[in-house]
């Protein structure tokens, strides 16, 4: 019961109350902002449908981005052309600073193993 009354409410909280005898489907308005011409394209989708993240701009035909509040939605293109590399996954777990630190530690270790940290002086000698 509770589930039914809450269904779809997260998409803006519009009333789902239906008029008697009328099949009413909840709708939600979405705005797509075009970076190319700076105009907004307004679309209406059924509230239980997931709005696409991009839509063709009505003014110029370029790709417009879905707005959430007053910000464009973050488009996840990771499953499109470029699969995540090991490097990307590494960066999700560690910051660049941490990696620099680890690299430095590792280099010092290697230098020490090569003898007294004089590895760089030996190169070219
Ligand atoms: Zn446009």
């Amino acid at each position: 019961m509770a589930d039914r009354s809450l269904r779809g409410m997260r998409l803006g909280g519009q009333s789902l109350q239906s008029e008697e005898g009328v099949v009413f489907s909840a709708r939600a308005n979405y705005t797509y902002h075009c970076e190319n011409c700076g105009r907004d394209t307004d679309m209406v989708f059924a509230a239980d449908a997931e709005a696409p993240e991009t839509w063709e701009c009505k003014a110029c035909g370029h790709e417009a981005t879905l707005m959430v509040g007053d910000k464009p939605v973050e488009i996840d293109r990771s499953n499109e052309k470029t699969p995540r590399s090991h490097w990307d996954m590494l960066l999700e777990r560690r910051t660049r600073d941490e990696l620099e630190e680890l690299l430095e530690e590792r280099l010092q270790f290697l230098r020490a193993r090569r003898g007294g940290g004089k590895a760089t002086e030996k190169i070219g000698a």
Side-chain angles (χ1 to χ4, degrees), residues 33-41 56-64:
H33 182 73
C34 175
E35 292 277 315
N36 187 56
C37 69
R39 286 190 225 185
D40 292 335
T41 296
E56 192 183 295
C57 172
K58 277 180 183 169
C60 72
H62 274 73
E63 187 183 79

Side-chain angles (χ1 to χ4, degrees), residues 10-23:
R10 68 193 169 86
L11 290 165
Q14 66 272 66
S15 172
L16 300 178
Q17 203 167 26
S18 53
E19 286 174 52
E20 216 175 335
V22 178
V23 180

